[in-house]
Amino acid sequence: MRTSQYLLGTMKETPADAEVISHQLMLRAGMVRKVASGLYTWTPTGLRVLRKVEQVVREEMEKAGAIEVLMPMVQPADLWEESGRWHDYGPELLRIKDRHNRDFVLGPTHEEVISELVRKEINSYKQLPLNLFQIQTKFRDEIRPRFGVMRSREFIMKDAYSFHTTQESLEDTYKTMFDAYCNIFNRLGLDFRPVIADTGSIGGNMSHEFHVLASSGEDDIAFSDSSDYAANVELAEAVAIADEPLAATQAMEKIATPEAKTIKALVEQFDINIESTVKTLIVHAADTTAKDTKAPANAPAKLVALIIRGDHELNEIKAAKHSAVASPLVFASDEEIRAAVGAGPGSLGPVNLTMPVIIDRAVASMSDFAAGANEEGFHFFGINWNRDVALPEVADLRNVRAGDASPDGKGTLNIARGIEVGHIFQLGTKYSEAMKAGVLNEDGKNQSLIMGCYGIGVSRIVAAAIEQNNDANGIIWPTAMAPYQVCILPMNMHKSARVQEVAEKLYAELKAAGVEVLFDDRKERPGVMFADMELIGIPHTIVIGERNLDEQAVEYKNRRSGEKETLKIADVLARVQ
Ligand code: ATP
Ligand code: MG
Ligand code: MG
Ligand code: MG
């Protein structure tokens, strides 16, 4: 590509409204342009990078046996009614009407549409297991879109859904996807950690997130310095597990945050006890909305919420107590809570149980609560009481702090910030039951399909990679993501026929060899050309100047190491391949 015929769009100044380095550099390097809050145009350089990521993802998914499909972004409300999420999803779901006044949504995820496909196409266990994926635009009406494409409203996701008749088969595919994700992030040259993730949205099933380590990340990751152990601190820091029946207050003592103390006081006030059958107590900062409104680490929490997810029986007991106590206590149904605080994968999520909510000041309703929360920035803790749910992976996580020995008995724990770039989940039968997606099993009986789902934030990866790979001069692309591998910078080409001739010849030769080359044929000063190419982050620079041509040589510069060498023109191709 010749820069004179390209849309380069580089900028010298750092845009004022871009807070994180990747957002600044994506604007300055001419990769994206903002159209409206959370909506971006990918300009040519950015699009090339995005396509690279897509391609690596596609290749590894196919290698792992997944099959590509493409579903519509606009989805009929009927399907969401069937799954229950038309009511449950909360304000991140953008709802629209067509000319006939029929309801639709802009898909934030595709469990409903894929279940609709599979229940029609698959009728026998013999057609399973099946893993279908797509790379497609999603829309989530994020409460606070920010950091450019890192948290946008419209974004590209790779989402895959697998279907099984046995849990073992699901676990097989889950493992295969786990490995495929590691391959993807390794190929993309990212420093990442798979971490045990909160399963709060769907219950006790297995879930892992993949985090790119970067200071601008929105999650805290606890990982061992000498084993593979890693967990989302959101989960880890606040998890307490009891082998024996455990009083809520005891578990609270293990969590030394001011919020937990407030919760503890509240729990004591209302004398909430866990019955002997309750095996697991998880306290976690629960919700996407909460994360979106999380105050800086040192800011005092202004509002503390306690969501108790128990069973009806338990809640009825508490409800009876509540009626006798004048307090800032709100009892709300699942639906009200979800409508107020939002839900979805990784958030508060669908639960079948009634959840009372306690907060540290009086509010009349859940929507008041959500409005206050959104304005003020707050910490949001939930308690998840699951009966008979074993979570061995988190069983030893108590009171996790940096420098602690790790939960698996190996090494010490580090805590780092992470950007969630992938999330895999064993869904079970939640959607297939609701949507009656079943097959005949080996015994000739109809059975609900067992599902897994596997997401990757394709567009977020582009930003996450830049967070990890930059210097004062701009982006330093990992090879697999670079928009071009080589740039040719001819010095004063418009004054030197010899420079022009060599540059044109080298450009043609590299292109013929299949190398992606950006040929800077603009009438610009060398300083401007260098600055632009460093900013865009092209791995290899070839400088052609009169000075070296007598020796049939050019200057080579490596973007990452900064090293320069003089190369014979004949050796350039081998050096950059
Ligand atoms: P987050 O916790 O960052 O809000 P999520 O848990 O809601 O993400 P998932 O439902 O797990 O997201 O979706 C799968 C992947 O899609 C995420 O791991 C992330 O990489 C990406 N993703 C989610 N929301 C956005 C967004 N608003 N902008 C860009 N990428 C996103
Ligand atoms: Mg989210
Ligand atoms: Mg997630
Ligand atoms: Mg998440």
Side-chain angles (χ1 to χ4, degrees):
M1 178 56 66
R2 290 168 194 270
T3 49
S4 63
Q5 295 164 17
Y6 191 61
L7 182 61
L8 206 53
T10 49
M11 307 181 217
K12 253 197 171 136
E13 272 75 43
T14 302
D17 59 344
E19 290 167 64
V20 294
I21 191 73
S22 59
H23 189 194
Q24 293 168 2
L25 289 175
M26 286 183 79
L27 291 167
R28 287 188 54 211
M31 293 179 63
V32 290
R33 289 292 183 260
K34 181 171 165 178
V35 176
S37 172
L39 303 176
Y40 289 85
T41 293
W42 288 80
T43 38
T45 304
L47 184 62
R48 288 182 73 93
V49 178
L50 189 69
R51 293 282 185 250
K52 292 271 167 91
V53 177
E54 277 183 23
Q55 196 48 29
V56 168
V57 170
R58 178 174 287 114
E59 283 171 19
E60 293 300 326
M61 289 303 289
E62 288 180 343
K63 229 185 263 174
I67 301 159
E68 188 162 2
V69 294
L70 186 59
M71 293 179 265
M73 188 202 183
V74 177
Q75 309 177 10
D78 307 6
L79 292 178
W80 287 71
E81 292 272 10
E82 269 191 72
S83 74
R85 289 206 287 188
W86 175 253
H87 300 286
D88 296 347
Y89 205 94
E92 261 184 34
L93 183 67
L94 187 67
R95 297 148 204 259
I96 53 175
K97 279 186 192 294
D98 73 1
R99 63 166 71 193
H100 306 294
N101 213 30
R102 282 189 288 248
D103 288 313
F104 290 84
V105 305
L106 291 191
T109 176
H110 278 71
E111 282 82 5
E112 281 79 2
V113 178
I114 198 87
S115 299
E116 151 73 4
L117 177 78
V118 165
R119 72 182 168 185
K120 289 200 172 129
E121 297 299 321
I122 301 291
N123 43 47
S124 159
Y125 72 94
K126 290 179 191 156
Q127 295 164 282
L128 300 174
L130 184 67
N131 189 2
L132 299 172
F133 80 99
Q134 64 174 346
I135 297 174
Q136 195 246 18
T137 301
K138 299 277 184 273
F139 190 94
R140 294 182 183 181
D141 203 353
E142 296 277 353
I143 185 167
R144 203 149 66 85
R146 63 184 176 283
F147 306 160
V149 299
M150 193 104 86
R151 184 172 298 284
S152 48
R153 296 198 292 171
E154 193 176 293
F155 60 98
I156 311 273
M157 197 200 286
K158 184 286 297 175
D159 46 330
Y161 306 88
S162 70
F163 298 88
H164 316 263
T165 48
T166 65
Q167 175 67 19
E168 294 82 72
S169 169
L170 169 63
E171 283 168 20
D172 264 5
T173 299
Y174 187 85
K175 173 78 174 59
T176 304
M177 283 296 105
F178 187 101
D179 294 343
Y181 275 38
C182 292
N183 293 341
I184 288 166
F185 300 126
N186 279 326
R187 272 184 67 180
L188 293 173
L190 298 171
D191 183 11
F192 72 98
R193 295 282 185 289
V195 309
I196 300 161
D198 185 6
T199 58
S201 61
I202 298 173
N205 288 334
M206 175 70 85
S207 173
H208 282 89
E209 289 168 356
F210 290 76
H211 282 261
V212 162
L213 301 182
S215 57
S216 59
E218 295 179 82
D219 291 283
D220 282 318
I221 303 306
F223 61 95
S224 164
D225 62 359
S226 47
S227 76
D228 286 341
Y229 179 81
N232 194 326
V233 172
E234 191 177 276
L235 178 74
E237 199 175 41
V239 168
I241 302 282
D243 300 329
E244 293 301 316
L246 174 73
T249 45
Q250 274 176 286
M252 292 298 174
E253 270 155 21
K254 297 181 192 301
I255 304 154
T257 62
E259 296 84 356
K261 285 194 189 124
T262 310
I263 293 173
K264 181 176 169 243
L266 288 167
V267 167
E268 276 170 355
Q269 189 183 344
F270 297 110
D271 186 22
I272 299 166
N273 281 308
I274 303 176
E275 292 166 325
S276 60
T277 48
V278 177
K279 297 248 172 60
T280 310
L281 170 64
I282 305 171
V283 183
H284 60 125
D287 176 76
T288 348
T289 310
K291 258 193 280 168
D292 288 344
T293 57
K294 204 183 221 169
N298 53 0
K302 288 186 177 159
L303 191 62
V304 173
L306 173 64
I307 291 189
I308 300 168
R309 298 163 69 177
D311 56 30
H312 286 290
E313 205 185 325
L314 208 63
N315 289 332
E316 272 160 30
I317 298 167
K318 288 195 295 276
K321 282 197 169 139
H322 166 58
S323 57
V325 189
S327 68
L329 180 69
V330 175
F331 279 77
S333 71
D334 291 1
E335 263 175 32
E336 286 171 299
I337 291 170
R338 281 192 295 258
V341 303
S347 70
L348 192 62
V351 278
N352 330 330
L353 308 168
T354 308
M355 298 183 289
V357 173
I358 303 171
I359 57 178
D360 70 350
R361 63 170 197 191
V363 291
S365 68
M366 276 311 294
S367 42
D368 273 15
F369 165 70
N374 293 343
E375 277 163 23
E376 295 182 35
F378 74 125
H379 289 261
F380 190 113
F381 280 75
I383 291 190
N384 197 348
W385 286 341
N386 293 324
R387 279 169 190 269
D388 304 321
V389 175
L391 289 175
E393 291 73 22
V394 292
D396 290 311
L397 281 173
R398 287 164 207 240
N399 219 8
V400 175
R401 292 285 176 275
D404 283 359
S406 51
D408 63 355
K410 293 174 199 143
T412 53
L413 275 182
N414 292 322
I415 298 202
R417 303 292 281 174
I419 300 168
E420 181 190 326
V421 290
H423 198 166
I424 58 176
F425 216 104
Q426 296 185 13
L427 282 176
T429 54
K430 182 182 144 48
Y431 294 93
S432 52
E433 268 173 23
M435 298 191 62
K436 304 199 173 51
V439 286
L440 288 181
N441 63 21
E442 273 182 81
D443 307 327
K445 295 214 178 79
N446 201 284
Q447 148 185 3
S448 290
L449 287 164
I450 300 171
M451 285 174 68
C453 71
Y454 318 92
I456 286 188
V458 172
S459 44
R460 182 180 284 183
I461 284 175
V462 176
I466 297 173
E467 289 292 322
Q468 277 189 343
N469 296 280
N470 67 77
D471 65 10
N473 297 332
I475 303 167
I476 306 174
W477 285 115
T479 313
M481 292 175 72
Y484 294 92
Q485 299 302 319
V486 179
C487 60
I488 297 178
L489 304 191
M491 298 293 102
N492 301 311
M493 177 172 89
H494 302 279
K495 290 183 202 143
S496 163
R498 197 155 69 126
V499 167
Q500 172 151 20
E501 190 194 320
V502 172
E504 290 283 358
K505 229 178 115 200
L506 187 62
Y507 176 52
E509 185 198 336
L510 293 178
K511 271 207 312 185
V515 179
E516 297 163 303
V517 200
L518 192 58
F519 177 18
D520 201 350
D521 62 345
R522 294 174 296 171
K523 272 190 184 161
E524 282 289 358
R525 284 178 294 113
V528 172
M529 292 159 76
F530 275 112
D532 275 350
M533 295 305 133
E534 297 240 309
L535 175 62
I536 296 170
I538 297 173
H540 309 284
T541 299
I542 306 294
V543 184
I544 302 173
E546 275 286 347
R547 214 154 40 92
N548 288 320
L549 287 185
D550 290 340
E551 279 85 54
Q552 288 295 302
V554 294
E555 192 179 273
Y556 166 88
K557 187 176 180 197
N558 186 285
R559 177 68 181 92
R560 190 169 287 273
S561 68
E563 279 162 29
K564 290 179 185 171
E565 39 186 299
T566 307
L567 275 185
K568 291 284 179 209
I569 296 171
D571 296 335
V572 169
L573 180 59
R575 182 67 184 78
V576 301
Q577 258 177 341

